[in-house]
Amino acid sequence: MHKVTKLAAALLLTFSGSVVMNAAVAAEKCPIDLRQSKAVGESSARKVQKAFESYQAGKLDDAIATLLEADPRGEFDKAYVDRMLGNFYAEKGQMDKAIKFLKVAVDADVLGGVDHAATLRLYSDLLLQEKKYKEAITYYRKWINFTCKKDAIVYRRMAIAYTEMQQWDNALKTVNEGISVMDKPDKGLYQLKFQSLFNLKKYKDAVGVLEVMVPLFPDDKRLWVQLAQLYLLTEDYDRSLATYEIAYDGGFLEKSENIVRLCQLLASKGSPYRGARILEKHMKSGLIPKDEKNLSMLAGFFHQAKDLKDAASYYGQAASISTSGTLYLKQGRLLSLDQKYKESIPVLEQALKAGLDNPGEAQYELMLSYLSLKQYKEAYRYAQLAAKDKKTTKSATNYIAYIKDKARIYKVSL
């Protein structure tokens, strides 16, 4: 809610009475048109004029003091003075007093058409600002009935009140009324519609709202992200990925979690290498933390893309942070798979040192590396060790006879 600004003179004074409308024409018009204006009494008019002059001179406190001294006679004069006091207190930021005086003015329901409408609107706005949501809605409705106007802004403000009270069905109904009468796209109304549908768990309908909003407000970065996330929530992964990619290319993904989600989708949809390079880029820039979780993820993407060198490197970096035996094991396996047997051996030994639930897995990989290097004695030693682990017993045992044969051929003593 915008803070109440200085009031225009037209809002404050109408000294002369207006001509009564032709009865035949008035019968077809709204209450605002049927309500004729009046002039305040002579005594009140002097105080009103003096207060207004003080206000124009920037002496708001003097203007208020003058009106408080007034002794208006009659319901109309009292409502008129109370209305002015309410406006002045609102401008002064004393909302409790503003609401108090404006309530008297609107409930009297005697001011001229334009004045009563303006007072109803201001009073409703202040109630909303002061979180008196139920009362605000009541008086916004009175404003609509009195003016016969369908104002999108008023519907938006009523919808805000409903959302604050978590009355999502009423909020949605009110938002739809506002959208039906808006003369240009109102982002606030669409956002409230999305919020209402989301809280009603009508996710597919919420997607539809965002699909309307994105082309209407293409520069709003949040909308692209919200749409991508909601596609993900509704398990429409292809559209989620496409939207994330458009948002990324447009520079709209500014948070690390959104970059990570894009990379995960790329990897899951067959583009792990692109996902890895994007993740790597933003990790190097510092946007994405270089922690065990993210380094392991990056290694996994490279592994999936069959980039063994980079995968091994990042598994190693992740392992060095966490001293995880499992991560060292993954690094060692990839080094061995990439035929870097000598490099794999100290890494696999580090995996054993760090601790594994099944040490036979590292011992088996060490056996393979030593065997590839034709170091049969070490290969045999690790084969025997791996054979003692239930997870690698069978595969390691099968190799023992083979290693013995190789050692015999090359005359190596085991």
Side-chain angles (χ1 to χ4, degrees), residues 242-308:
T243 307
Y244 268 121
E245 287 203 275
I246 293 171
Y248 179 74
D249 292 339
F252 295 163
L253 300 187
E254 297 175 336
K255 294 183 177 180
S256 61
E257 58 264 31
N258 292 322
I259 301 289
V260 169
R261 199 166 288 119
L262 165 63
C263 298
Q264 290 171 327
L265 280 169
L266 284 166
S268 68
K269 301 300 290 185
S271 300
Y273 189 77
R274 174 166 158 74
R277 287 303 179 198
I278 291 174
L279 187 62
E280 182 183 50
K281 173 184 175 181
H282 293 284
M283 199 176 288
K284 287 180 177 178
S285 75
L287 176 63
I288 296 175
K290 210 171 186 179
D291 55 24
E292 178 197 345
K293 178 182 177 182
N294 291 329
L295 285 166
S296 298
M297 185 189 307
L298 180 55
F301 292 162
F302 277 122
H303 190 178
Q304 190 178 341
K306 296 181 171 57
D307 185 335
L308 303 182

Side-chain angles (χ1 to χ4, degrees), residues 383-402:
Q384 288 183 309
L385 290 171
K388 296 177 182 179
D389 190 315
K390 62 181 181 180
K391 194 167 184 179
T392 52
T393 297
K394 184 176 180 180
S395 53
T397 301
N398 290 339
Y399 265 99
I400 289 175
Y402 174 77

Side-chain angles (χ1 to χ4, degrees), residues 17-33:
S18 61
V19 178
V20 178
M21 299 180 203
N22 181 280
V25 176
E28 300 176 1
K29 296 188 176 181
C30 288
I32 188 173
D33 299 313

Side-chain angles (χ1 to χ4, degrees), residues 80-149:
Y80 198 94
V81 170
D82 285 338
R83 174 178 179 254
M84 286 189 71
L85 279 167
N87 278 275
F88 287 157
Y89 276 122
E91 185 168 331
K92 193 175 173 61
Q94 296 182 10
M95 299 308 174
D96 288 343
K97 290 183 177 180
I99 287 172
K100 172 186 173 183
F101 284 102
L102 289 173
K103 177 174 175 55
V104 174
V106 296
D107 287 350
D109 198 13
V110 293
L111 294 172
V114 174
D115 286 348
H116 186 61
T119 309
L120 276 170
R121 182 71 174 263
L122 176 60
Y123 182 55
S124 304
D125 288 346
L126 293 185
L127 288 171
L128 180 61
Q129 180 177 313
E130 296 303 299
K131 301 182 180 181
K132 300 178 185 294
Y133 302 120
K134 187 176 180 180
E135 297 94 324
I137 292 168
T138 297
Y139 282 91
Y140 278 127
R141 294 285 182 196
K142 288 183 178 183
W143 180 89
I144 291 172
N145 293 334
F146 185 73
T147 62
C148 300
K149 288 183 179 180

Side-chain angles (χ1 to χ4, degrees), residues 358-396:
N358 295 98
E361 292 183 286
Q363 292 159 350
Y364 182 77
E365 294 296 334
L366 280 163
M367 175 201 74
L368 293 175
S369 292
Y370 277 118
L371 187 58
S372 297
L373 292 169
K374 298 182 180 180
Q375 296 182 26
Y376 301 114
K377 187 172 184 178
E378 289 301 310
Y380 182 69
R381 182 168 73 89
Y382 278 111
Q384 288 183 309
L385 290 171
K388 296 177 182 179
D389 190 315
K390 62 181 181 180
K391 194 167 184 179
T392 52
T393 297
K394 184 176 180 180
S395 53

Side-chain angles (χ1 to χ4, degrees), residues 30-97:
C30 288
I32 188 173
D33 299 313
L34 296 171
R35 181 75 60 82
Q36 68 181 45
S37 296
K38 298 179 183 178
V40 293
E42 184 177 348
S43 175
S44 296
R46 285 196 295 269
K47 292 290 186 181
V48 166
Q49 180 64 47
K50 183 179 178 182
F52 184 56
E53 289 172 355
S54 296
Y55 172 77
Q56 285 185 311
K59 299 177 180 179
L60 187 55
D61 288 337
D62 289 349
I64 291 172
T66 299
L67 290 176
L68 290 174
E69 292 172 357
D71 184 20
R73 296 181 182 181
E75 195 176 30
F76 177 82
D77 283 13
K78 178 170 175 49
Y80 198 94
V81 170
D82 285 338
R83 174 178 179 254
M84 286 189 71
L85 279 167
N87 278 275
F88 287 157
Y89 276 122
E91 185 168 331
K92 193 175 173 61
Q94 296 182 10
M95 299 308 174
D96 288 343
K97 290 183 177 180

